Amino acid sequence: MLKSARIAVFVSGGGTNLQALLDAQRDGKIPHGEIALVISSQACAYALERAEKANVPAHTVPSSLIQHDFEAAIELLLEQYKIDVIVLAGFLSILSENFTKKWPRRILNIHPSLIPAFCGVGFYGLHVHEGVLARGAKVTGATVHFVNEIADDGPIILQKPVAVQPDDTPEILQKRVMQEAEWLILPRAVSLFCDNKLEVKGRTVRVLS
Ligand code: GRF
């Protein structure tokens, strides 16, 4: 019997991906995981209200702290709540190599494009979708990947394509990518992780049956 993996979700904004995880947990779709902690880099993040409504302990570690103090405060919370895996869900702060190397293949991130397209430094939030539309791409989507020391560079876990429509604005496209991809593949990837169903070899992730 797998013990339940204790999950920390890092947020910075609206928390719609956090909500997708909370809803999946409620619906029994993450049977071997428990969302035990939410950490926000912004005190005003609506994601904090979502955590409170779901009775999940939540703390703000302000991104205004210097990197060393920011990460030390986070690490203290991760220890206090006995966290096994970190999920970045709309988290806009950088985690240093010093931090990420302590969590090899135990930090997952949701990115709103089909990596390696439209990712890396500067590609976050609406900027991703602005780039997709400016390039005239016909297909975009979302990616869940492991986090390493380079932005959006870790092994890809799951991806889901989304068609770009002729009249899309960045806002319309962002919403569709969230609804049709992000909110589906993030809970699925977290559940697979908690079920020990992700086999990583080099930069390739295989989902075990
Ligand atoms: C989402 O598009 C997510 O992919 C990106 O940040 C946006 C906001 O996420 N990382 P959320 O609503 O705060 O989950």
Side-chain angles (χ1 to χ4, degrees), residues 21-115:
L21 290 168
L22 292 168
D23 294 349
Q25 176 175 266
R26 176 202 61 206
D27 298 343
K29 293 179 180 171
I30 310 178
H32 297 114
E34 176 197 1
I35 301 170
L37 172 65
V38 170
I39 293 178
S40 177
S41 61
Q42 303 295 326
C44 60
Y46 185 68
L48 290 168
E49 290 195 36
R50 296 181 191 272
E52 187 180 353
K53 284 190 186 121
N55 297 316
V56 174
H59 296 263
T60 296
V61 179
S63 57
S64 54
L65 289 173
I66 61 160
Q67 195 68 25
H68 174 273
D69 296 351
F70 179 67
E71 293 184 358
I74 288 175
E75 287 178 347
L76 216 53
L77 286 167
L78 295 174
E79 204 174 309
Q80 182 184 340
Y81 284 86
K82 299 179 175 47
I83 297 303
D84 300 303
V85 57
I86 297 168
V87 179
L88 309 183
F91 186 65
L92 296 178
S93 291
I94 299 297
L95 294 169
S96 70
E97 180 176 357
N98 184 47
F99 183 100
T100 57
K101 73 183 178 187
K102 292 175 190 168
W103 295 78
R105 295 184 298 281
R106 289 196 297 150
I107 306 176
L108 286 71
N109 181 51
I110 177 81
H111 181 77
S113 77
L114 294 177
I115 289 176

Side-chain angles (χ1 to χ4, degrees), residues 13-18 89-91 110-112 125 129 174 178 182:
T16 65
N17 279 286
L18 167 65
F91 186 65
I110 177 81
H111 181 77
H129 308 290
Q174 178 180 53
M178 285 178 170
E182 296 179 45

